[in-house]
Amino acid sequence: MATLNTPPRPVTEITDRQEIANRPSANLEHVSLIGLSDAELASELTNLGVSQHQLRMRIAQLKRWIYVHGATTADPMTDVSKDLRNLLDNHTTLARPPIVSEQVSRDGTRKWLLRLAGDGTSNRAPEVETVYIPETDRGTLCISSQVGCTLSCTFCHTGTQRLVRNLTSGEIIGQILLARDKLGDWPGAERPTDGLIPDGERAITNIVLMGMGEPLYNFDSVKQAMLIAADGDGQSVSKRRITLSTSGIVPQIPRWGDEAGTMLAISLHAVRDVLRDELVPINRKWPIAALLEACRNYPGLSNAKRITFEYVMLKGINDSLAEAKELVRLLAGIPAKINLIPFNPWPGSPYECSDWEQIERFAEVVNKAGYASPVRTPRGRDIMAACGQLKSASTRLRASERRAGDAEAPA
Ligand code: SAH
Ligand code: SF4
């Protein structure tokens, strides 16, 4: 809890919008090869004239250069013919999303604000945030799946920003590649010297879909990206080290388990429907009982593969000991971990974080029921990088555009 009451020290910030505008990544004529499925890579390579019998070999080579070595151009791809390398450089790109700003917290947490391509309907490009949280034995990358969110959980900063658009698979994987670039997390690359990076071979050992957006409302792109993240020819991050957090899009939960099979976290936050309806309004559609039923049936669930239940501690709202007891009663029989998240305030937020003594008392009830170390230490609060503080300044949509965005979400 060291970050709770200590004033933030100055942060590093790099902002050069003109430089970003001049980068080659702004060239939309180049097709990005990041985040493509094998079939999509095959189609791009065929367009460049690669013959059918060479496709498999070329796809394997490309994936190795992109995801194992972190290539940003075709230049280092020494086992690819010079002609094909020229074609790749002239017609495709491996550019990362441009960084609008980078901040490093006093606790070593890093936050990048990234610029994405606009759809031409607005003169401001959409932006998303990616956060890196280092610990001594692991490094967790928290990635975004949407610009904004269609849901409006009352305690969440992202929830105050309307959905602008879903991220593509390339933009989701691009966040990982960019973080690995910045952390020197490629073979032979140099690690940054400012801030903590865990010991061990990899700076990023875990991925959590806990940034901006509701990942199950962008199912296909998030799935394609996470399959590449887990693939041995991709980022090779084990599915046990990838966690998708959802506010409770019940029909998509079994599908995610079957088709992607990562770890799951549920933003529960309340033990009664009346309160959850208010805090997490999607509860009006899929109430607590339906959500827990989907959890009980989550494919592959076992004591070794538990669901994490997230519970944000809101002073006087959901933090009574009666609620703590009800929480453990509700979760009985589900292989579960409980994560109590001290509420992270943001400008204008309508709640306060529970008192630390109350969090401890609540945690004790949870502990006694057999759940270990349930309180999550807030990280990166001084740079607004903690859970629920992410919000980019992307343009708000007009009402008509917003309705179109809402319609994309499987209802
Ligand atoms: N949309 C998904 C994932 C992104 S939010 C979801 O809701 O699960 C990631 C986690 O941060 C969720 O558990 C969310 O409820 C929590 N969160 C949101 N705002 C918060 C805040 N201000 N303080 C603490 N946690 C917050
Ligand atoms: Fe969206 Fe999750 Fe925030 Fe709710 S908590 S508004 S689902 S990002």
Side-chain angles (χ1 to χ4, degrees), residues 14-26 97-101 115 182:
I14 305 165
T15 308
D16 190 342
R17 288 170 195 260
Q18 190 50 45
E19 196 244 331
I20 288 165
N22 294 337
R23 284 192 201 167
S25 56
I99 300 176
V100 177
S101 69
R115 165 86 42 89
K182 300 302 289 181

Side-chain angles (χ1 to χ4, degrees), residues 219-386:
F219 193 99
D220 293 337
S221 298
V222 172
K223 176 182 144 191
Q224 182 161 324
M226 289 308 104
L227 292 180
I228 294 172
D231 186 1
D233 297 328
Q235 298 282 298
S236 296
V237 178
S238 149
K239 285 186 180 180
R240 300 203 159 227
R241 289 173 172 271
I242 301 177
T243 304
L244 175 137
S245 175
T246 178
S247 56
I249 314 303
V250 167
Q252 306 288 6
I253 290 176
R255 237 190 107 198
W256 181 262
D258 283 332
E259 297 178 28
T262 70
M263 305 299 278
L264 185 67
I266 301 286
S267 295
L268 191 61
H269 308 318
V271 292
R272 288 171 289 119
D273 280 323
V274 194
L275 180 60
R276 196 165 190 271
D277 281 353
E278 188 187 315
L279 299 179
V280 188
I282 198 69
N283 194 69
R284 294 180 203 151
K285 190 161 201 163
W286 293 296
I288 295 174
L291 176 57
L292 294 183
E293 190 53 23
C295 290
R296 260 185 210 99
N297 297 321
Y298 189 63
L301 190 63
S302 71
N303 281 337
K305 192 180 174 190
R306 293 165 190 255
I307 294 178
T308 300
F309 289 88
E310 299 164 283
Y311 197 93
V312 63
M313 299 298 295
L314 304 171
K315 185 174 185 169
I317 304 282
N318 66 353
D319 62 352
S320 71
L321 298 190
E323 281 159 312
K325 286 178 193 145
E326 181 58 9
L327 176 62
V328 295
R329 197 193 65 79
L330 274 180
L331 301 187
I334 304 178
K337 290 187 237 175
I338 296 177
N339 231 311
L340 304 179
I341 314 174
F343 170 64
N344 292 308
W346 34 273
S349 56
Y351 303 105
E352 279 177 73
C353 181
S354 305
D355 294 332
W356 185 239
E357 295 71 37
Q358 188 60 18
I359 298 181
E360 280 186 332
R361 282 196 286 269
F362 196 106
E364 202 180 305
V365 174
V366 171
N367 259 317
K368 279 207 176 117
Y371 299 94
S373 41
V375 186
R376 186 191 292 172
T377 311
R379 299 290 304 269
R381 273 187 174 179
D382 54 336
I383 56 167
M384 291 285 287

Side-chain angles (χ1 to χ4, degrees), residues 17 100 113-119 122-129 144 146-149 157-158 160-165 167 212 390-398 401:
R17 288 170 195 260
V100 177
L113 177 64
L114 307 178
R115 165 86 42 89
L116 305 178
D119 59 3
S122 159
N123 51 12
R124 275 199 74 164
E127 293 171 348
V128 285
E129 293 181 315
S144 294
Q146 298 184 310
V147 183
C149 189
H157 207 194
T158 308
T160 65
Q161 183 189 4
R162 293 165 184 147
L163 178 73
V164 177
R165 72 166 171 85
L167 267 60
M212 291 165 63
L390 306 186
K391 176 180 173 288
S392 64
S394 295
T395 325
R396 284 170 183 257
L397 289 180
R398 292 193 301 272
E401 291 169 316

